Amino acid sequence: MSGETTEAKKNPWVHVALDYGPLALFFLAYNLAPGIALFKLLVATGAFMVAMIAAMIAAVALYRRIPPMMALTGVLVIVFGALTLYFRDPRFIQAKPTIIYGILAALLAFGLVTGRPLLQLVLGQSFPGLSALGWRKLTINWMLFFVALAVANEVVRLNFSSDVWVYFKTWGVIPLTFLFALANLPMLTKHGLDLENKPNE
């Protein structure tokens, strides 16, 4: 059993499943649920909450802890999901991404102001050799990106239908995040990132 757990830890697809599985289930539930947009969003929200709780339980079983980002997302999904279901008001779950992006941007800004490399503390092993200046630039880039995502989420949720918002959340934000991460690679390599020196799992 311990051997299976170790293999799961090393498998990158396990990380992907835990991070994006709940969102994928949210998207599927929304598209498979019958009825009007409000009912579809309520069903998807319930599925999202259950999947998020399952992902956190799986993280504890595999890693003996819940990663900070997953913990933050999980708490907000449960709180805002419960408010959405109780009041039957989609504005709660739709505002959740804005709050998450805002919190992340504020934390990174706090780290910059106080001289605490918060991003380095979380991702240090993933970027071997990166200089202090590189970490600072990466932190600023991600802070601005989170601010942009928060603004974009507000624009979409306030001006477009639930269908558009769901597709933006799944097929807009995720690809944009991966593209943004790739766009930072030239800057990271310029500031010491060693792509050949991969940390041991």
Side-chain angles (χ1 to χ4, degrees):
M1 185 68 178
S2 59
E4 294 177 359
T5 301
T6 301
E7 288 302 316
K9 289 181 181 180
K10 293 182 179 180
N11 189 339
W13 291 109
V14 173
H15 295 274
V16 173
L18 292 179
D19 288 339
Y20 296 104
L23 184 58
L25 187 59
F26 174 86
F27 178 77
L28 287 175
Y30 183 86
N31 282 277
L32 294 176
I36 61 175
L38 176 59
F39 178 76
K40 290 159 66 76
L41 195 57
L42 293 176
V43 171
T45 297
F48 196 16
M49 294 169 66
V50 172
M52 200 70 231
I53 293 171
M56 289 190 290
I57 293 173
V60 172
L62 290 172
Y63 312 121
R64 301 293 184 264
R65 68 183 184 90
I66 300 176
M69 185 61 190
M70 178 183 288
L72 172 63
T73 302
V75 169
L76 291 179
V77 165
I78 293 169
V79 172
F80 283 85
L83 291 172
T84 297
L85 297 178
Y86 182 80
F87 291 104
R88 298 182 181 276
D89 189 338
R91 290 178 296 179
F92 291 104
I93 198 66
Q94 290 176 337
K96 185 267 302 177
T98 300
I99 295 172
I100 289 179
Y101 302 141
I103 290 174
L104 293 175
L107 288 173
L108 293 180
F110 175 78
L112 288 171
V113 171
T114 59
R116 300 176 183 177
L118 299 180
L119 197 63
Q120 185 176 1
L121 292 176
V122 176
L123 301 176
Q125 293 184 345
S126 300
F127 296 93
L130 188 61
S131 67
L133 180 58
W135 278 112
R136 180 174 177 81
K137 288 185 175 182
L138 184 63
T139 299
I140 293 173
N141 289 350
W142 277 105
M143 179 188 69
L144 295 176
F145 182 68
F146 287 135
V147 170
L149 286 182
V151 172
N153 187 71
E154 286 301 289
V155 170
V156 173
R157 81 175 185 90
L158 293 175
N159 295 280
F160 297 92
S161 67
S162 293
D163 285 346
V164 173
W165 178 80
V166 168
Y167 277 87
F168 168 74
K169 178 179 173 63
T170 50
W171 298 110
V173 173
I174 293 176
L176 282 174
T177 302
F178 279 114
L179 289 174
F180 180 78
L182 290 175
N184 278 280
L185 281 179
M187 181 276 292
L188 295 175
T189 54
K190 180 181 178 181
H191 289 283
L193 177 64
D194 185 1
L195 296 176
E196 300 299 325
N197 182 19
K198 297 180 181 179
N200 295 325
E201 295 291 338

